[in-house]
Amino acid sequence: RAATGFHDATSAPYRGGMSDERPAPEEPMSDAAASELAARGTPLSLAMGFETLSDRACGMRVGFRSDLVGDPAQGGLAGGVVFALLDQTCGMAIGIALRARFEAEGRSLAMGGMATLDFRLDHIRPPRAGAPVIAEAECVGLNGDVAVVRGRAYEDDTDDPVAVAQAAFMIMSAPTVTV
């Protein structure tokens, strides 16, 4: 038994129990169009108030909120918020790239999810006090079941980033269901 403080899945504090049901095919990171991710959201993106930016290929924004501040003396968003924003945006970039590939091949997207293989985040400077942060990402490579993504987070100037990221994700195929 794990040292988590609960004894079985029904007493797990994060879900109110678990089930054998498969996740809905509209899992946000795998098949949402760029404009849908933050609107439908993942629990993390909803909790932090991420917004999808429709004026760019793949971008998300987190507005400033005092409960998301890292160092109160500096007043900027926490590094973990920046990480989460870039992680979500990188996942969205993969979904966009896969959708484009599948549409070009005349197939429909059927993806089971993603697993992070490697995520390097370089914090360049702390976010400015009271400022929202924008993240943009691009899938720079899809090879078999591995996707490589680059991203950056900034306030209002892409040439003055808060952080940059490079990540690799494993893409898991959706199980085929026969009836």
Side-chain angles (χ1 to χ4, degrees):
R1 185 166 78 180
T4 58
F6 55 90
H7 305 289
D8 59 33
T10 59
S11 64
Y14 52 87
R15 286 221 168 172
M18 297 174 71
S19 73
D20 292 329
E21 292 179 37
R22 295 210 180 271
E26 56 272 2
E27 193 275 325
M29 295 306 290
S30 64
D31 72 351
S35 62
E36 298 172 337
L37 179 61
R40 286 192 352 213
T42 62
L44 182 67
S45 65
L46 292 172
M48 292 193 192
F50 294 174
E51 304 168 49
T52 300
L53 301 174
S54 58
D55 63 340
R56 56 201 82 206
C58 181
M60 294 183 82
R61 174 187 179 276
V62 61
F64 179 80
R65 284 189 0 214
S66 61
D67 62 322
L68 300 179
V69 168
D71 181 353
Q74 292 186 351
L77 293 171
V81 174
V82 173
F83 174 87
L85 180 66
L86 277 163
D87 183 48
Q88 295 276 301
T89 308
C90 287
M92 185 169 71
I94 294 167
I96 291 168
L98 284 171
R99 177 173 280 113
R101 173 194 274 181
F102 277 57
E103 286 175 0
E105 295 171 356
R107 299 186 295 154
S108 61
L109 180 61
M111 195 171 90
M114 289 179 234
T116 306
L117 297 174
D118 181 51
F119 198 104
R120 177 187 168 123
L121 180 67
D122 293 316
H123 289 275
I124 296 170
R125 62 175 179 80
R128 289 192 308 266
V133 174
I134 295 168
E136 294 182 355
E138 174 187 18
C139 183
V140 295
L142 285 170
N143 187 11
D145 59 357
V146 176
V148 177
V149 188
R150 288 190 189 131
R152 68 177 43 217
Y154 58 92
E155 286 109 349
D156 50 20
D157 181 2
T158 59
D159 293 328
D160 186 21
V162 170
V164 293
Q166 172 128 355
F169 293 83
M170 181 187 308
I171 301 160
M172 294 171 263
S173 299
T176 53
V177 179
T178 54
V179 200

